[in-house]
Amino acid sequence: MTNLRLPFIFPLLLLLNLHSIGAVVSADPTTESSDSEYIRTSCGSTLYPDVCYTSLSRYASAVQSDPGRLARVAIAVNLSNARKMASYLSNLTREGGTNTGAASALHDCVSNLGDAVDEIEDSLKQMRDIGAGGASDFRFKISNVQTWMSAALTDEETCTDGFEDVPEGDKIKEKVLEGVGDVKKLTSNAVALVNNYASKGTPRKCV
């Protein structure tokens, strides 16, 4: 199975549309080190700090020390991985040899993960609009992002919970729990970074 612990670089760059990405090549080493340290420190507030840092540190020069940009990058990384996993699970449903319980759980999981992808997409779109208005506009939009990202995590958890009654050792169950488990970690981390951004109350556009 594709290792989902590493983000998918090229689709992600299209999602981010960060004007400052071009500065990565000529970044001052001292600044780059400082930016990486900012990400490491920020990831300390997440449930999976190592996963957080590994998935986001390569974007340090684009993020700099901006909590809004960091939250947006985390959502984009999350979306790229969630889309990949949703496609993988959809392909699994067409494979034969699955017991009835696993097949039913997989079908429900595909639906749940599809909903999660939609919610993460909506979150990323909303993050792009943050900063266009004042403080009240910021609070409204960041609240939407928090709601949608939390809903995405719930949908992912519902997916894996559906396999509780499937016997241990089932190959489909193992693949789903591993793959969706990776996505859940990224979603959880993104939620934490969004909450951190929200707590700072900075109505600045995440360009």
Side-chain angles (χ1 to χ4, degrees):
M1 187 184 75
T2 303
N3 186 348
L4 295 175
R5 290 181 172 82
L6 295 177
F8 301 90
I9 305 303
F10 297 110
L12 175 59
L13 294 181
L14 294 176
L15 286 167
L16 292 177
N17 194 25
L18 291 172
H19 300 304
S20 56
I21 281 181
V24 172
V25 176
S26 58
D28 176 72
T30 302
T31 302
E32 189 169 353
S33 175
S34 175
D35 294 339
S36 296
E37 187 58 33
Y38 171 74
I39 291 181
R40 186 183 298 280
T41 300
S42 298
C43 285
S45 66
T46 69
L47 289 178
Y48 309 99
D50 291 341
V51 172
C52 177
Y53 183 75
T54 299
S55 64
L56 302 179
S57 60
R58 69 189 63 199
Y59 308 109
S61 294
V63 170
Q64 297 177 5
S65 297
D66 189 319
R69 286 185 178 180
L70 180 58
R72 182 179 169 184
V73 170
I75 293 172
V77 169
N78 185 200
L79 178 58
S80 179
N81 281 271
R83 281 175 170 169
K84 196 78 172 182
M85 177 51 58
S87 176
Y88 175 74
L89 294 185
S90 181
N91 289 334
L92 275 185
T93 63
R94 293 189 282 272
E95 292 185 5
T98 305
N99 71 58
T100 303
S104 177
L106 178 60
H107 180 272
D108 291 342
C109 182
V110 169
S111 177
N112 294 141
L113 199 56
D115 289 341
V117 167
D118 290 342
E119 288 150 355
I120 300 170
E121 285 178 342
D122 288 341
S123 298
L124 187 58
K125 291 176 183 176
Q126 189 80 111
M127 286 293 291
R128 289 175 177 147
D129 291 335
I130 286 180
S136 61
D137 181 72
F138 171 79
R139 287 192 296 270
F140 172 74
K141 290 176 178 176
I142 199 65
S143 177
N144 286 340
V145 175
Q146 289 174 301
T147 298
W148 293 329
M149 290 302 296
S150 294
L153 184 57
T154 297
D155 283 327
E156 292 159 7
E157 290 175 341
T158 300
C159 159
T160 53
D161 287 347
F163 284 84
E164 288 183 352
D165 295 330
V166 176
E168 295 298 324
D170 182 273
K171 296 301 182 183
I172 296 297
K173 178 177 181 175
E174 291 177 353
K175 292 176 180 178
V176 171
L177 294 187
E178 179 183 358
V180 179
D182 289 342
V183 175
K184 284 165 60 177
K185 291 177 182 179
L186 293 175
T187 306
S188 173
N189 287 344
V191 168
L193 295 174
V194 167
N195 289 341
N196 179 58
Y197 177 42
S199 70
K200 296 182 183 304
T202 308
R204 200 168 81 181
K205 193 170 180 62
C206 302
V207 296

